[in-house]
Amino acid sequence: MAAQFGRRLRKGAATTAVAAVAVAALSASQAPGVNDHGRQTAADATPSPEASASDGSATGNSPYYTDLPPLKSPNPSPSTGPAPGGTGTTESGIPATVLDAYKKAETTLREAKPGCNLPWQLLAAIGRVESGQARGGRVDADGTTLKPILGPQLDGNGFALIKDTDDGAYDGNSSYDQAVGPMQFIPSTWAWAGRDGNDDGKKDPNNIYDAALAAGHYLCRNDWDLSQQGDLDRAILSYNNSRDYLNLVMRWLEYYRKGTHEVPDGTGTLPDNRSDDGAGASPTPTIPGTTNPAGSTPKPGPKPEKPETPQKPGGGGTTTPKPPTTPPGTPSTPPTTPPTPTDTVDHLEDAGTTKLTAMAGDAFGRRISTRAETEAGKAVAKVRVRFTIVGDTDTTFTGGEDVATVATNSSGVAVAPALQAGEKTGTVTVRATVVGRAVPGLDYKATVTERAADALARTGDAALTCAPGGTFANQVEVKATYKGAVADGVAATATLIKSADDPTVTDKGPYFKDADGKTVRTLTGLKTDAKGLLKLPKLYADDTTGTFLLRVTTAGGATLTVELTVAAAETSSPSPSAGPSA
């Protein structure tokens, strides 16, 4: 089984045909329907035509396991048996630590990104397809794989061409990238998507807790709602941009939704078939550079006992080497590879980004556009551009991330996700760089201004009067708006002024009290609530009578002046004495 598990060949047309037939067979044998929870089944869940992976993929579109789930429901116990299109057995048991990592990631994302609606079964489906649930749960007590799970080196020879982006830190390969760990992240994606899922202070792609949480955040970016089929399709395709991959993950997702159970670590069923396998084909030779050098240790991961080579869709798997066929002593000529689009990039240019300004808490109306160009100024398509928010700011991209990777389109342009302003005001820097290419980055400046209002109005029209030395019966309440919409969280100041022409603070008439009961006639640090309302504290009057002015101002220039009257109560005059009677 171990040899079969590690078997891999270059992807070919025959493999694609076999996978297509297998999916078709399963589709035909599973009648459409709706499960007990009202969810659409995989057979009904037609991928949205517009779904696409605009920002590359988590795995570099590496190969993946194509074993299909059993036809029978996993309830209430494991269902085993050969699956159409494969000879191996599959069942619903998930290794205990791996299952715990998926459920913990779902819980964390439910709090961090409740609008995403990430089901842990989706992580299980991807984990099954990517690494066979961490090779059947071969992990230690902390969730770290006993041996590194590495995909094939992405050298363009049957796979994508992604030259090294991490100096071999994650995959031990300083020439080309390889997908790493149970969720098969390529190093350039892990660099920004990595998470610490087990709170040990490290972000290790070889740890199932870290990898599962990273996968959850990756699938929840772009404000995707995974309870909506269109967003679910887009998220899965962004993990590995293949329709066959999407259909397969959906099959496993629906299978796991019908029931799963926990099995001991290390006892999970291993898949047999991969998207780069051919039926009955012999294993391919180990490719130099696809495993960690002898005695070396991947920087972020555990020291390998004996690293296993390429295997997964984003990476993961082993390969049994063939005996050498080249006569001893024959010098080997390293294969030459044509330059990738990334290799031809000379610089980045702004692609028409206009002024970026937003009030705190609002989304920026404009998005950053960057064009990758050759030295001659020709646009370069299919290049990954990484946008990174740098500096001390709480501004993020939509979805809460501070890094986003987007592939350039046919015009060489990459458009970053929309920016969401935080509460910290000032200038925010967004840096665009080319993934896998050492060319100068391009910085964009975005400005976050304080929340503002352009209009203020009282919420009531009751007269504001008081007798000398008394308390005003009614409190002043105002509502702030900006361009007709509620202006929440806007800073305001209330001041009792001398006159309409003299806004300096008066020294007599109405006043507020501070926490110690002392007289104050200026209030600062006020803010409107979620409804744009601001209710001022009670007002008191000294012995001075007359008409006084209270002025409320906000950030943005909104101003409202309110009249206050202090007057003695009127007394009725005595009736004139009746004269003497005639």
Side-chain angles (χ1 to χ4, degrees):
M1 179 64 74
Q4 289 179 323
F5 184 77
R7 188 180 64 212
R8 60 182 61 253
L9 290 175
R10 296 291 183 263
K11 183 186 291 186
T15 301
T16 303
V18 170
V21 170
V23 172
L26 183 57
S27 299
S29 60
Q30 291 179 320
V34 177
N35 65 17
D36 293 338
H37 302 289
R39 295 191 185 93
Q40 205 174 22
T41 65
D44 288 332
T46 304
S48 302
E50 72 279 7
S52 65
S54 62
D55 55 349
S57 74
T59 68
N61 296 325
S62 298
Y64 53 91
Y65 289 111
T66 58
D67 293 50
L68 294 166
L71 297 178
K72 294 181 180 180
S73 168
N75 288 320
S77 59
S79 172
T80 60
T87 58
T89 60
T90 53
E91 43 91 358
S92 64
I94 298 178
T97 299
V98 177
L99 181 59
D100 182 60
Y102 296 150
K103 292 184 175 181
K104 183 177 180 181
E106 180 197 55
T107 299
T108 300
L109 267 298
R110 190 183 301 129
E111 296 177 359
K113 297 183 178 180
C116 177
N117 296 304
L118 171 79
W120 66 261
Q121 291 91 340
L122 176 58
L123 297 177
I126 291 176
R128 171 74 191 198
V129 171
E130 292 296 334
S131 68
Q133 311 298 18
R135 293 207 191 97
R138 294 172 61 190
V139 297
D140 62 20
D142 295 323
T144 301
T145 57
L146 300 181
K147 294 181 180 180
I149 301 176
L150 297 175
Q153 68 174 12
L154 300 174
D155 57 4
N157 188 12
F159 307 110
L161 177 53
I162 303 178
K163 293 188 177 180
D164 177 63
T165 61
D166 66 330
D167 291 329
Y170 294 109
D171 53 16
N173 188 340
S174 59
S175 298
Y176 300 95
D177 272 352
Q178 296 174 240
V180 181
M183 301 304 280
Q184 288 295 277
F185 279 96
I186 54 175
S188 60
T189 301
W190 183 263
W192 63 265
R195 294 292 190 279
D196 178 12
N198 60 350
D199 299 322
D200 65 353
K202 297 183 295 182
K203 298 176 183 178
D204 182 1
N206 298 292
N207 182 278
I208 185 58
Y209 288 99
D210 294 358
L213 183 58
H217 275 281
Y218 186 89
L219 295 165
C220 285
R221 71 198 192 288
N222 299 333
D223 269 351
W224 283 328
D225 178 357
L226 302 186
S227 66
Q228 302 298 315
Q229 190 64 48
D231 282 356
L232 178 60
D233 293 347
R234 280 181 273 273
I236 296 172
L237 283 171
S238 78
Y239 212 86
N240 191 312
N241 193 11
S242 159
R243 284 284 168 175
D244 289 339
Y245 181 86
L246 168 62
N247 293 334
L248 183 61
V249 169
M250 284 300 301
R251 295 289 178 188
W252 279 106
L253 170 59
E254 292 304 324
Y255 181 73
Y256 285 136
R257 274 175 167 167
K258 294 175 182 176
T260 58
H261 66 286
E262 179 183 297
V263 298
D265 290 345
T267 65
T269 300
L270 303 181
D272 287 332
N273 304 287
R274 293 179 49 78
S275 60
D276 55 341
D277 284 343
S282 59
T284 59
T286 300
I287 304 169
T290 56
T291 59
N292 298 313
S296 69
T297 303
K299 295 175 186 176
K303 182 176 181 179
E305 303 167 34
K306 180 183 178 184
E308 301 179 22
T309 50
Q311 171 179 30
K312 276 221 50 170
T318 64
T319 300
T320 304
K322 280 183 178 181
T325 56
T326 305
T330 302
S332 60
T333 302
T336 59
T337 57
T340 66
T342 300
D343 293 332
T344 67
V345 176
D346 176 74
H347 59 273
L348 294 174
E349 288 286 343
D350 176 49
T353 304
T354 55
K355 186 176 181 180
L356 299 167
T357 303
M359 284 198 302
D362 288 351
F364 282 76
R366 305 284 183 175
R367 295 167 68 179
I368 295 172
S369 296
T370 300
R371 183 172 56 253
E373 296 182 353
T374 64
E375 185 176 5
K378 183 179 179 181
V380 185
K382 298 182 180 179
V383 170
R384 289 174 297 153
V385 176
R386 178 178 297 149
F387 296 96
T388 305
I389 299 173
V390 299
D392 182 19
T393 178
D394 55 356
T395 291
T396 64
F397 291 113
T398 302
E401 305 292 346
D402 57 11
V403 179
T405 302
V406 182
T408 57
N409 60 20
S410 58
S411 300
V413 175
V415 181
L419 285 166
Q420 176 67 41
E423 294 303 321
K424 291 183 179 180
T425 59
T427 301
V428 177
T429 300
V430 180
R431 182 165 299 151
T433 56
V434 179
V435 176
R437 180 74 170 162
V439 298
L442 186 61
D443 284 355
Y444 293 85
K445 301 297 182 183
T447 302
V448 179
T449 61
E450 62 181 330
R451 293 171 182 258
D454 57 14
L456 283 172
R458 281 189 64 194
T459 58
D461 56 5
L464 299 169
T465 61
C466 179
T471 303
F472 283 81
N474 297 309
Q475 290 177 247
V476 177
E477 184 180 65
V478 299
K479 182 173 183 177
T481 56
Y482 183 77
K483 295 183 179 179
V486 167
D488 62 311
V490 177
T493 300
T495 307
L496 290 150
I497 60 177
K498 290 183 177 180
S499 69
D501 298 325
D502 185 357
T504 56
V505 182
T506 185
D507 57 358
K508 59 184 177 181
Y511 60 91
F512 299 105
K513 290 183 179 180
D514 65 13
D516 298 324
K518 295 180 180 179
T519 297
V520 292
R521 289 190 168 90
T522 297
L523 296 177
T524 59
L526 305 173
K527 277 193 176 183
T528 59
D529 65 15
K531 296 180 179 180
L533 299 176
L534 174 62
K535 191 170 187 177
L536 299 180
K538 287 183 178 181
L539 278 162
Y540 303 88
D542 60 14
D543 294 334
T544 308
T545 60
T547 300
F548 303 89
L549 298 179
L550 168 66
R551 180 162 292 173
V552 182
T553 60
T554 69
T559 301
L560 176 66
T561 302
V562 180
E563 283 193 355
L564 306 172
T565 302
V566 179
E570 292 185 6
T571 57
S572 56
S573 56
S575 300
S577 302
S581 59

PDB file of all heavy atoms in Angstrom, residues 429-447:
ATOM      1  N   THR A 429       0.199  51.991   3.435  1.00  0.00           N
ATOM      2  CA  THR A 429       0.984  51.584   2.270  1.00  0.00           C
ATOM      3  C   THR A 429       0.626  50.174   1.857  1.00  0.00           C
ATOM      4  O   THR A 429       0.602  49.258   2.672  1.00  0.00           O
ATOM      5  CB  THR A 429       2.497  51.651   2.576  1.00  0.00           C
ATOM      6  OG1 THR A 429       2.855  52.998   2.916  1.00  0.00           O
ATOM      7  CG2 THR A 429       3.318  51.212   1.367  1.00  0.00           C
ATOM      8  N   VAL A 430       0.337  50.004   0.579  1.00  0.00           N
ATOM      9  CA  VAL A 430       0.102  48.678   0.001  1.00  0.00           C
ATOM     10  C   VAL A 430       1.211  48.442  -1.016  1.00  0.00           C
ATOM     11  O   VAL A 430       1.385  49.229  -1.942  1.00  0.00           O
ATOM     12  CB  VAL A 430      -1.270  48.583  -0.678  1.00  0.00           C
ATOM     13  CG1 VAL A 430      -1.469  47.184  -1.261  1.00  0.00           C
ATOM     14  CG2 VAL A 430      -2.382  48.906   0.308  1.00  0.00           C
ATOM     15  N   ARG A 431       1.963  47.360  -0.823  1.00  0.00           N
ATOM     16  CA  ARG A 431       3.116  47.071  -1.687  1.00  0.00           C
ATOM     17  C   ARG A 431       2.793  45.920  -2.630  1.00  0.00           C
ATOM     18  O   ARG A 431       2.350  44.846  -2.202  1.00  0.00           O
ATOM     19  CB  ARG A 431       4.329  46.739  -0.837  1.00  0.00           C
ATOM     20  CG  ARG A 431       5.614  46.455  -1.629  1.00  0.00           C
ATOM     21  CD  ARG A 431       6.805  46.515  -0.695  1.00  0.00           C
ATOM     22  NE  ARG A 431       6.911  47.855  -0.100  1.00  0.00           N
ATOM     23  CZ  ARG A 431       7.438  48.092   1.105  1.00  0.00           C
ATOM     24  NH1 ARG A 431       7.889  47.098   1.845  1.00  0.00           N
ATOM     25  NH2 ARG A 431       7.489  49.324   1.569  1.00  0.00           N
ATOM     26  N   ALA A 432       3.023  46.136  -3.915  1.00  0.00           N
ATOM     27  CA  ALA A 432       2.833  45.097  -4.924  1.00  0.00           C
ATOM     28  C   ALA A 432       4.193  44.523  -5.300  1.00  0.00           C
ATOM     29  O   ALA A 432       5.130  45.272  -5.593  1.00  0.00           O
ATOM     30  CB  ALA A 432       2.145  45.666  -6.153  1.00  0.00           C
ATOM     31  N   THR A 433       4.320  43.193  -5.288  1.00  0.00           N
ATOM     32  CA  THR A 433       5.559  42.524  -5.670  1.00  0.00           C
ATOM     33  C   THR A 433       5.228  41.337  -6.569  1.00  0.00           C
ATOM     34  O   THR A 433       4.102  40.844  -6.571  1.00  0.00           O
ATOM     35  CB  THR A 433       6.339  42.022  -4.442  1.00  0.00           C
ATOM     36  OG1 THR A 433       5.493  41.168  -3.660  1.00  0.00           O
ATOM     37  CG2 THR A 433       6.820  43.167  -3.570  1.00  0.00           C
ATOM     38  N   VAL A 434       6.193  40.878  -7.318  1.00  0.00           N
ATOM     39  CA  VAL A 434       6.009  39.717  -8.182  1.00  0.00           C
ATOM     40  C   VAL A 434       6.459  38.473  -7.425  1.00  0.00           C
ATOM     41  O   VAL A 434       7.593  38.415  -6.938  1.00  0.00           O
ATOM     42  CB  VAL A 434       6.822  39.863  -9.483  1.00  0.00           C
ATOM     43  CG1 VAL A 434       6.632  38.628 -10.364  1.00  0.00           C
ATOM     44  CG2 VAL A 434       6.393  41.111 -10.232  1.00  0.00           C
ATOM     45  N   VAL A 435       5.590  37.499  -7.306  1.00  0.00           N
ATOM     46  CA  VAL A 435       5.933  36.258  -6.616  1.00  0.00           C
ATOM     47  C   VAL A 435       6.946  35.488  -7.463  1.00  0.00           C
ATOM     48  O   VAL A 435       6.720  35.230  -8.645  1.00  0.00           O
ATOM     49  CB  VAL A 435       4.680  35.392  -6.376  1.00  0.00           C
ATOM     50  CG1 VAL A 435       5.068  34.058  -5.738  1.00  0.00           C
ATOM     51  CG2 VAL A 435       3.686  36.132  -5.511  1.00  0.00           C
ATOM     52  N   GLY A 436       8.071  35.146  -6.852  1.00  0.00           N
ATOM     53  CA  GLY A 436       9.088  34.369  -7.553  1.00  0.00           C
ATOM     54  C   GLY A 436      10.012  35.170  -8.441  1.00  0.00           C
ATOM     55  O   GLY A 436      10.765  34.607  -9.240  1.00  0.00           O
ATOM     56  N   ARG A 437       9.984  36.494  -8.311  1.00  0.00           N
ATOM     57  CA  ARG A 437      10.838  37.341  -9.156  1.00  0.00           C
ATOM     58  C   ARG A 437      11.338  38.520  -8.340  1.00  0.00           C
ATOM     59  O   ARG A 437      10.553  39.229  -7.710  1.00  0.00           O
ATOM     60  CB  ARG A 437      10.039  37.846 -10.350  1.00  0.00           C
ATOM     61  CG  ARG A 437      10.802  38.726 -11.310  1.00  0.00           C
ATOM     62  CD  ARG A 437      11.770  37.944 -12.156  1.00  0.00           C
ATOM     63  NE  ARG A 437      12.327  38.751 -13.246  1.00  0.00           N
ATOM     64  CZ  ARG A 437      13.421  38.441 -13.907  1.00  0.00           C
ATOM     65  NH1 ARG A 437      14.078  37.337 -13.597  1.00  0.00           N
ATOM     66  NH2 ARG A 437      13.861  39.209 -14.886  1.00  0.00           N
ATOM     67  N   ALA A 438      12.657  38.721  -8.317  1.00  0.00           N
ATOM     68  CA  ALA A 438      13.246  39.790  -7.515  1.00  0.00           C
ATOM     69  C   ALA A 438      13.297  41.084  -8.315  1.00  0.00           C
ATOM     70  O   ALA A 438      14.340  41.499  -8.812  1.00  0.00           O
ATOM     71  CB  ALA A 438      14.641  39.402  -7.042  1.00  0.00           C
ATOM     72  N   VAL A 439      12.147  41.715  -8.467  1.00  0.00           N
ATOM     73  CA  VAL A 439      12.097  43.037  -9.099  1.00  0.00           C
ATOM     74  C   VAL A 439      11.577  44.015  -8.062  1.00  0.00           C
ATOM     75  O   VAL A 439      10.870  43.623  -7.128  1.00  0.00           O
ATOM     76  CB  VAL A 439      11.191  43.039 -10.354  1.00  0.00           C
ATOM     77  CG1 VAL A 439      11.742  42.086 -11.404  1.00  0.00           C
ATOM     78  CG2 VAL A 439       9.767  42.671  -9.994  1.00  0.00           C
ATOM     79  N   PRO A 440      11.918  45.297  -8.177  1.00  0.00           N
ATOM     80  CA  PRO A 440      11.468  46.266  -7.167  1.00  0.00           C
ATOM     81  C   PRO A 440       9.952  46.263  -7.019  1.00  0.00           C
ATOM     82  O   PRO A 440       9.210  46.144  -8.001  1.00  0.00           O
ATOM     83  CB  PRO A 440      11.977  47.605  -7.732  1.00  0.00           C
ATOM     84  CG  PRO A 440      13.140  47.241  -8.594  1.00  0.00           C
ATOM     85  CD  PRO A 440      12.774  45.926  -9.213  1.00  0.00           C
ATOM     86  N   GLY A 441       9.498  46.387  -5.784  1.00  0.00           N
ATOM     87  CA  GLY A 441       8.070  46.451  -5.534  1.00  0.00           C
ATOM     88  C   GLY A 441       7.516  47.821  -5.890  1.00  0.00           C
ATOM     89  O   GLY A 441       8.260  48.776  -6.121  1.00  0.00           O
ATOM     90  N   LEU A 442       6.208  47.895  -5.957  1.00  0.00           N
ATOM     91  CA  LEU A 442       5.528  49.142  -6.287  1.00  0.00           C
ATOM     92  C   LEU A 442       4.617  49.495  -5.120  1.00  0.00           C
ATOM     93  O   LEU A 442       3.745  48.702  -4.744  1.00  0.00           O
ATOM     94  CB  LEU A 442       4.722  48.971  -7.572  1.00  0.00           C
ATOM     95  CG  LEU A 442       4.039  50.209  -8.157  1.00  0.00           C
ATOM     96  CD1 LEU A 442       5.071  51.274  -8.505  1.00  0.00           C
ATOM     97  CD2 LEU A 442       3.236  49.823  -9.399  1.00  0.00           C
ATOM     98  N   ASP A 443       4.829  50.666  -4.505  1.00  0.00           N
ATOM     99  CA  ASP A 443       4.054  51.075  -3.338  1.00  0.00           C
ATOM    100  C   ASP A 443       2.892  51.984  -3.728  1.00  0.00           C
ATOM    101  O   ASP A 443       3.036  52.882  -4.561  1.00  0.00           O
ATOM    102  CB  ASP A 443       4.940  51.812  -2.330  1.00  0.00           C
ATOM    103  CG  ASP A 443       5.836  50.875  -1.549  1.00  0.00           C
ATOM    104  OD1 ASP A 443       5.710  49.649  -1.722  1.00  0.00           O
ATOM    105  OD2 ASP A 443       6.669  51.365  -0.761  1.00  0.00           O
ATOM    106  N   TYR A 444       1.761  51.722  -3.093  1.00  0.00           N
ATOM    107  CA  TYR A 444       0.582  52.554  -3.260  1.00  0.00           C
ATOM    108  C   TYR A 444       0.221  53.155  -1.910  1.00  0.00           C
ATOM    109  O   TYR A 444       0.335  52.479  -0.883  1.00  0.00           O
ATOM    110  CB  TYR A 444      -0.607  51.730  -3.771  1.00  0.00           C
ATOM    111  CG  TYR A 444      -0.433  51.204  -5.171  1.00  0.00           C
ATOM    112  CD1 TYR A 444       0.246  50.019  -5.408  1.00  0.00           C
ATOM    113  CD2 TYR A 444      -0.955  51.896  -6.255  1.00  0.00           C
ATOM    114  CE1 TYR A 444       0.404  49.528  -6.699  1.00  0.00           C
ATOM    115  CE2 TYR A 444      -0.806  51.415  -7.553  1.00  0.00           C
ATOM    116  CZ  TYR A 444      -0.129  50.230  -7.768  1.00  0.00           C
ATOM    117  OH  TYR A 444       0.025  49.754  -9.034  1.00  0.00           O
ATOM    118  N   LYS A 445      -0.211  54.411  -1.905  1.00  0.00           N
ATOM    119  CA  LYS A 445      -0.603  55.078  -0.678  1.00  0.00           C
ATOM    120  C   LYS A 445      -2.125  55.202  -0.618  1.00  0.00           C
ATOM    121  O   LYS A 445      -2.758  55.647  -1.579  1.00  0.00           O
ATOM    122  CB  LYS A 445       0.028  56.466  -0.581  1.00  0.00           C
ATOM    123  CG  LYS A 445       1.557  56.459  -0.626  1.00  0.00           C
ATOM    124  CD  LYS A 445       2.158  55.716   0.561  1.00  0.00           C
ATOM    125  CE  LYS A 445       3.684  55.764   0.524  1.00  0.00           C
ATOM    126  NZ  LYS A 445       4.291  54.993   1.638  1.00  0.00           N
ATOM    127  N   ALA A 446      -2.678  54.800   0.495  1.00  0.00           N
ATOM    128  CA  ALA A 446      -4.118  54.932   0.726  1.00  0.00           C
ATOM    129  C   ALA A 446      -4.305  55.747   1.996  1.00  0.00           C
ATOM    130  O   ALA A 446      -3.556  55.572   2.968  1.00  0.00           O
ATOM    131  CB  ALA A 446      -4.770  53.563   0.857  1.00  0.00           C
ATOM    132  N   THR A 447      -5.283  56.615   2.005  1.00  0.00           N
ATOM    133  CA  THR A 447      -5.500  57.499   3.149  1.00  0.00           C
ATOM    134  C   THR A 447      -6.803  57.154   3.849  1.00  0.00           C
ATOM    135  O   THR A 447      -7.863  57.052   3.212  1.00  0.00           O
ATOM    136  CB  THR A 447      -5.559  58.971   2.698  1.00  0.00           C
ATOM    137  OG1 THR A 447      -4.345  59.293   2.025  1.00  0.00           O
ATOM    138  CG2 THR A 447      -5.735  59.892   3.896  1.00  0.00           C
TER     139      THR A 447
END
